[in-house]
Structure formats: structure tokens, C-alpha cells
């Protein structure tokens, strides 16, 4: 199948970004706007949470005429198994697998473009949905876009980032995801005042369509990653893109020349090995695959979406009015965003393990407080008397979101994108992301009935997963910071090559392609082709990655 798909690889490439953006502006803008893909998921996650406390929404899609008091008491009569429309997660799981092929064949930016287009179509379906079936169909189609974008964007981030800043760029992505959720919380709060008009639930979906449209348009300007261009045989375009991203367009820059030659060497070597199959992820890169799968599994079972997806409902049940619950959801979303800031500046210095370990036990402590206060609140019959407990729950949730935003939020996406070698990166990331969506689906499916059945006890179940994740990180996860992408096999101790006798071509044998200036004259930079210290694709030092 892969050999058949190879014929669809691009034969030409055109950079459409304006030249005044070359350098740090195009690097940071590409990172931030590509991250709109994650912001869209964060936004849609918050939107559905806010709409679940709106009577017109419940009446239109679930046929239930309810009062604000019934919503506050959790007495809506809506089947909890369909309230969250979990189809988005099942479809995202499937799409992430498919995106592995699109990403490798058509490129990173084309995968983002297709995901954005799907998201835009889904948004329009939800805006004009006449009934629950149409809403679920829109959510299901949206899931395809979510899966593609969540798999592709972290790969793009790691491949355009300087080698010592991968964590920073992934944190930009996660900050955008959190910002999307924060925006949806405030949009939901704002449109709440449009009740009882139907614009109260259509409005948030209109904003979602606008965001998807911006991402779709930007995908025509977004640069392709140098690694993909070089792997597709477009070496001159790869060199120019590398220079545009890291050296303000100067192809004579020493770092750009060295990075280019090392990427070419690595790709030529990987072509000797061939594309990694799905089975090789488990046989040749076993520890990496276990790490990629479990980091996303724990990221979900540590409780983030169990809290976020139903946050306004849970705050209402704790004792707040619906209006105040929506307001406090917006405030907590801002705290969630702020949590990403420490990771942006410290995760590349301190490493991945310390953040995950602190996160596991910090989250466990917060969930213990939330669960204990919820037990106390549930024992108080008078709603007004529950407010002090509700204040405590809100504070603990804010602390939880800060810890999560700094630790288990961005780090799994970073690990999934950086731990696999180039030949297995798309498939490895797809496997990691599908674990995320499978876990997300399970959490979304079991959370409403478990909250109904065991109430505050559910928080203690999630607490247990936090403790297990910390123990797992301590004994299983190696540190991957302070290494290049090609140096990861020394951290995992796995076999770097299929055949140890195979060696990459020496850098002295490589040549930087001729390029042309704006007048069409041939330019050939003066390249020092003295042998450099470069190891094989899994154990060498690559400045780019």
C-alpha cells in the first residue's frame, strides 16, 4: 500500500509566505497558527460543556423542557450516555491512524489543511442541526478533523523547532489548546445571556466555524517542514525552508548547512532501512511504543476531561447557580492556560520526568480535596448552604488545572512526537494519539453514569490513576530532554538499526543543491564538506531535531 501511495508525494513545492516574515516571525507564527488545530478541539470540548446547561439546547436535541433549577440539581432527565455525543472520540481514533499515511505521503501541511476543511464542514452541520441525529453526525465528522490535526500538529512542531526548544514549541501548541477551551468557556458564558433565543447555542458553533476557516486559510501559507521536503526529494526547497525558519533566509548560515547535510544523511540512511511497519513499533522500538501509549493513556485517566467536559454541570451540582457555574468555568480555564507557562520555559531545562512526577502527585492531592468536599456538599440538603464547599471545590479544581496544564497536559504530546525515529515517527505518533482518543472515548462514555452512580467517589478513582502514573513514570520512562531527535536510542537502549553493518553516507559525500535567486541566477553556497561527527539515524546528533 505504501509503495502505491508513494506516487502521490508532491513533486514541486511553492513557499507562499511573504518574505518579510522570514526568520523568527514565520517560525513562531507557523507554530502558533498550526496550533489552532488543537485550539479547535479545546474549543469544541468547552462548547459542549457550556451548552449542556442551556434549556433551549436540551429541549431542541433531547426533547426535555427543563428549568434552571432542574439543571442545577442535575435533574434534566437526559440520558447520560448520549448527552456528551462521544462519537467525536471514536472517529478521532480512526482518523489518527489514517493521518499517519496522509502525513507521510502528502505532507504535514496538507494533513493540517484537510483536517481544517473537515472541521469547517462539521461546524456548519452543527450550526444548522435540526435534531440530535444531525448534531451527532456533525460531531462525528468533527472527530475526523480532530484526529488528523491532533496527530499532525505535534509532528510539525517538533520538525520545525530548533533542537533545544522542542518542549517550548509543543507548549505553544498546548497553550493554544487551553486557550481554545478558555475561549469557549467565555463564549458560552456570553451567549448564556442570549437565552431563550436559539443563538445562545448556535453562536458558539459560529465562532468555531470562524476558527476553522482561519486555520484552513493559513494552511495555504504555512511552510512545509524541511524534513518532509528533503525526504520527498525536494532538497533545494528543504534547504530554503530550513534557512527561512532558522536563519532569516540565509542559506550560507553554518548551522543551516550543517543541519541540512545531517538531515540528508539521515534520510538516505533510512531509505536503506525502509519505512517502519506497524509491527516494528512493538518489536524494534518496544520501550518507545510503551512510553508513547501509556503517556497518553495516563493523560486521560488522570481525570482532565472528566472534570472539564462536565465542569459547569459539576459546579452547579456543588452548589453554584448556573450563571455562576459558567462564570467560574471561564475563570478556571484561564488558570488552565497559565499552567502551561512554567512548562514553556522550564521543560527543556529541567526535563520531562520531573514535570510528570510532580504532576502525578500534585493532581492526586487536588482530586482528594475535590472528592472530599464533594462528599461533604452532597450531604447538605440546602443548596445555599453548599456554597462554602463549592468555593473549596472550585479552588481545588483551579489548582488541578494549573498542575495539569504544566505537566500531564503538554508533555505526552511532546513525548509522542520526539521519541520515535523519523522512519517511524508518523506511525508512532498515530499510535500514541489513537490511545489518547480511545481513552478519551472511554472517559466521556463512563463519566456521566459514574458520576450518577458513585458521585464524589469517582474523583477518588481518578486519584488512583494519578498515583499509578507517577509510579510508572519513575520506573519506566527515561529522560528525553537535552537530546536531539536522532540521539534517542541512547536513552531507550533499543536497537538503532535493522542491520548494524549499514552506515549512513558520510557528510563529505553530500552536496547542498544549487538554488536560484530572485533573478533566476544559479547560486551555490560555499559549503565546507569536511567530514562532520554524525552518527546513524537513531543515534546521531542532528542540530535540527
Amino acid at each position: 500500500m505504501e509503495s502505491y501511495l508513494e506516487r502521490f508525494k508532491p513533486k514541486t513545492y511553492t513557499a507562499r509566505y511573504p518574505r518579510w516574515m522570514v526568520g523568527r516571525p514565520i517560525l513562531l507564527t507557523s507554530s502558533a497558527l498550526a496550533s489552532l488545530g488543537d485550539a479547535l478541539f479545546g474549543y469544541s470540548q468547552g462548547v459542549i460543556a457550556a451548552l449542556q446547561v442551556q434549556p433551549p439546547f436540551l429541549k431542541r436535541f433531547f426533547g426535555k423542557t427543563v428549568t434552571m433549577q432542574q439543571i442545577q440539581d442535575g435533574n434534566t432527565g437526559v440520558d447520560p450516555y448520549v448527552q456528551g455525543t462521544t462519537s467525536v472520540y471514536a472517529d478521532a481514533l480512526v482518523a489518527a491512524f489514517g493521518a499517519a499515511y496522509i502525513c507521510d505521503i502528502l505532507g504535514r501541511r496538507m494533513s493540517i489543511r484537510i483536517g481544517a476543511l473537515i472541521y469547517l464542514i462539521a461546524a456548519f452541520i452543527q450550526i444548522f442541526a435540526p435534531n440530535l441525529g444531525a448534531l451527532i453526525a456533525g460531531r462525528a465528522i468533527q472527530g475526523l478533523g480532530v484526529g488528523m490535526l491532533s496527530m499532525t500538529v505535534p509532528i510539525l512542531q517538533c520538525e520545525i523547532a530548533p533542537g533545544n526548544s522542542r518542549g517550548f514549541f509543543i507548549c505553544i501548541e498546548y497553550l493554544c489548546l487551553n486557550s481554545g477551551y478558555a475561549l469557549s468557556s467565555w463564549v458560552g458564558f456570553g451567549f448564556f445571556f442570549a437565552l431563550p433565543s436559539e443563538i445562545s447555542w448556535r453562536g458558539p458553533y459560529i465562532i468555531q466555524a470562524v476558527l476553522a476557516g482561519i486555520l484552513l486559510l493559513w494552511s495555504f501559507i504555512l511552510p512545509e517542514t524541511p524534513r518532509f521536503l528533503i525526504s520527498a526529494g525536494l532538497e533545494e526547497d528543504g534547504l530554503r525552508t530550513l534557512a527561512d525558519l532558522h536563519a532569516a533566509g540565509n542559506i550560507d548560515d553554518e548551522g543551516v548547512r550543517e543541519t541540512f547535510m545531517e538531515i540528508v544523511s539521515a534520510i538516505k540512511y533510512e531509505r536503506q532501512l525502509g519505512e517502519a511497519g506497524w509491527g516494528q513499533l512493538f518489536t524494534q522500538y518496544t520501550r518507545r511504543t510503551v512510553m508513547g501509549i501509556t503517556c497518553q493513556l495516563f493523560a486521560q485517566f488522570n481525570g482532565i476531561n472528566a472534570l472539564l467536559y462536565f465542569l459547569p454541570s459539576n459546579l452547579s451540582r456543588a452548589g453554584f447557580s448556573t450563571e455562576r457555574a459558567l462564570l467560574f468555568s471561564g475563570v478556571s480555564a484561564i488558570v488552565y492556560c497559565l499552567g502551561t507557562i512554567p512548562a514553556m520555559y522550564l521543560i527543556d531545562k529541567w526535563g520531562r520526568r520531573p514535570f510528570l512526577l510532580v504532576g502525578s502527585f500534585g493532581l492526586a492531592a487536588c482530586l482528594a480535596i475535590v472528592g472530599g468536599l464533594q462528599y461533604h456538599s452532597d450531604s447538605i440538603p440546602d443548596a445555599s448552604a453548599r456554597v462554602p464547599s463549592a468555593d473549596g471545590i472550585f479552588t481545588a479544581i483551579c489548582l488541578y488545572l494549573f498542575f495539569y496544564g504544566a505537566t500531564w497536559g503538554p508533555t505526552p504530546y511532546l513525548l509522542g512526537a520526539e521519541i520515535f525515529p523519523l522512519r517511524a515517527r508518523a506511525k508512532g505518533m498515530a499510535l500514541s494519539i489513537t490511545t489518547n482518543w480511545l481513552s478519551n472515548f472511554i472517559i466521556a462514555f463512563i463519566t456521566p453514569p459514574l458520576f450518577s452512580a458513585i458521585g464524589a467517589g469517582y474523583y477518588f478513582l481518578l486519584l488512583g490513576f494519578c498515583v499509578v502514573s507517577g509510579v510508572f513514570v519513575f520506573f519506566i520512562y527515561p529522560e528525553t530532554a537535552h537530546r536531539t531527535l536522532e540521539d534517542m536510542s541512547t536513552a531507550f537502549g533499543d536497537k538503532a538499526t535493522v542491520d548494524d553493518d549499514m552506515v549512513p553516507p558520510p557528510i563529505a559525500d553530500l552536496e547542498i543543491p544549487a538554488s536560484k535567486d530572485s533573478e533566476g541566477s544559479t547560486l551555490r553556497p560555499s559549503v565546507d564538506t569536511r567530514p562532520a561527527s554524525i552518527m546513524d539515524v537513531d543515534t546521531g546528533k542532528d542540530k535540527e531535531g
Side-chain angles (χ1 to χ4, degrees), residues 181-496:
Y181 177 78
L183 176 63
S184 71
S185 298
W186 289 105
V187 166
F189 177 66
F191 277 101
F192 177 79
F193 294 98
L195 289 172
S197 169
E198 287 202 342
I199 195 65
S200 63
W201 66 264
R202 291 186 195 272
Y205 286 125
I206 293 172
I207 302 297
Q208 181 174 309
V210 171
L211 294 175
I214 293 172
L215 178 60
L216 178 62
L217 292 175
W218 174 250
S219 70
F220 289 92
I221 302 174
L222 178 73
E224 183 56 84
T225 71
R227 281 179 175 274
F228 175 78
L229 290 171
I230 296 169
S231 70
L234 303 172
E235 295 185 356
E236 178 183 334
D237 295 308
L239 170 63
R240 282 205 166 277
T241 303
L242 189 64
D244 286 349
L245 290 169
H246 294 167
N250 179 17
I251 60 174
D252 281 316
D253 180 83
E254 180 182 352
V256 168
R257 298 204 312 268
E258 183 177 355
T259 297
F260 172 80
M261 290 187 289
E262 290 182 358
I263 294 174
V264 172
S265 176
I267 289 173
K268 285 187 176 181
Y269 178 51
E270 289 196 350
R271 283 174 182 160
Q272 299 176 57
L273 301 177
E275 286 289 327
W278 293 101
Q280 284 182 280
L281 294 177
F282 296 93
T283 57
Q284 189 175 345
Y285 305 114
T286 307
R287 193 177 179 190
R288 304 185 199 218
T289 302
V290 169
M291 188 172 174
I293 289 174
T294 56
C295 69
Q296 289 288 1
L297 184 146
F298 286 128
Q300 290 304 317
F301 280 88
N302 282 355
I304 183 62
N305 284 318
L307 266 67
L308 288 185
Y309 206 76
F310 305 95
L311 185 55
S313 303
N314 290 340
L315 291 177
S316 291
R317 191 171 63 250
F320 291 131
S321 66
T322 302
E323 180 182 332
R324 196 175 182 192
L326 287 171
L327 174 63
F328 279 18
S329 294
V331 173
S332 63
I334 293 175
V335 175
Y336 192 18
C337 290
L338 294 176
T340 313
I341 295 176
M344 289 179 69
Y345 294 101
L346 296 175
I347 198 167
D348 286 317
K349 294 180 180 178
W350 292 0
R352 294 27 165 167
R353 275 171 53 92
F355 271 81
L356 292 177
L357 289 170
V358 169
S360 291
F361 296 104
L363 297 178
C366 294
L367 287 171
I369 297 171
V370 173
L373 289 174
Q374 187 67 59
Y375 263 126
H376 177 66
S377 177
D378 290 343
S379 68
I380 302 174
D382 183 11
S384 61
R386 297 182 207 151
V387 173
S389 296
D391 288 335
I393 290 172
F394 170 69
T395 302
I397 287 176
C398 285
L399 288 172
Y400 174 96
L401 292 175
F402 187 88
F403 272 112
Y404 192 92
T407 58
W408 279 97
T411 310
Y413 290 95
L414 171 58
L415 293 176
E418 74 177 359
I419 61 177
F420 294 99
L422 181 60
R423 64 190 292 260
R425 188 165 299 143
K427 289 187 177 69
M429 187 63 185
L431 191 62
S432 182
I433 288 297
T434 52
T435 302
N436 173 287
W437 292 118
L438 178 60
S439 303
N440 223 323
F441 175 81
I442 294 171
I443 290 294
F445 194 74
I446 67 173
T447 293
L450 280 177
F451 266 133
S452 299
I454 62 176
Y458 186 44
Y459 293 114
F460 289 95
L461 179 63
L462 299 173
L463 183 158
F465 281 109
C466 292
V467 174
V468 172
S469 70
V471 173
F472 204 86
V473 168
F474 185 81
F475 288 104
I476 303 296
Y477 287 19
E479 182 56 69
T480 58
H482 317 123
R483 299 178 186 275
T484 64
L485 292 177
E486 279 67 33
D487 196 28
M488 287 297 168
S489 64
T490 58
F492 289 93
D494 53 16
K495 188 177 180 183

Side-chain angles (χ1 to χ4, degrees), residues 6-132:
E6 287 289 324
R7 69 181 67 181
F8 296 104
K9 275 195 172 184
K11 303 298 187 294
T12 60
Y13 170 76
T14 302
R16 295 189 176 92
Y17 46 87
R19 297 307 298 172
W20 59 264
M21 292 187 70
V22 165
R24 197 160 182 81
I26 191 64
L27 178 64
L28 295 177
T29 305
S30 296
S31 175
L33 287 179
S35 298
L36 264 180
D38 290 279
L40 281 167
F41 170 61
Y43 181 87
S44 64
Q45 188 181 41
V47 161
I48 199 67
L51 296 184
Q52 287 171 0
V53 294
Q54 289 194 11
F57 182 80
L58 296 178
K59 182 177 181 180
R60 184 178 187 90
F61 295 110
F62 300 98
K64 303 293 182 181
T65 302
V66 296
T67 65
M68 286 296 183
Q69 188 58 49
Q70 286 175 301
I71 291 175
Q72 186 173 341
D73 294 339
N75 237 352
T76 62
V78 176
D79 185 348
Y81 283 102
V82 300
Q83 189 172 2
T85 57
T86 54
S87 55
V88 65
Y89 303 116
D91 284 0
L93 187 154
V94 174
F97 271 116
Y101 294 100
I102 295 174
C103 202
D104 274 345
I105 302 302
L106 300 181
R108 284 43 166 156
R109 72 171 183 172
M110 181 58 75
S111 183
I112 289 175
R113 186 177 304 162
I114 294 171
L117 178 61
I118 292 172
Y119 226 114
L120 183 61
I121 293 170
F124 275 106
I125 292 174
Q126 290 172 94
I127 290 170
F128 299 106
N131 51 45
L132 181 61

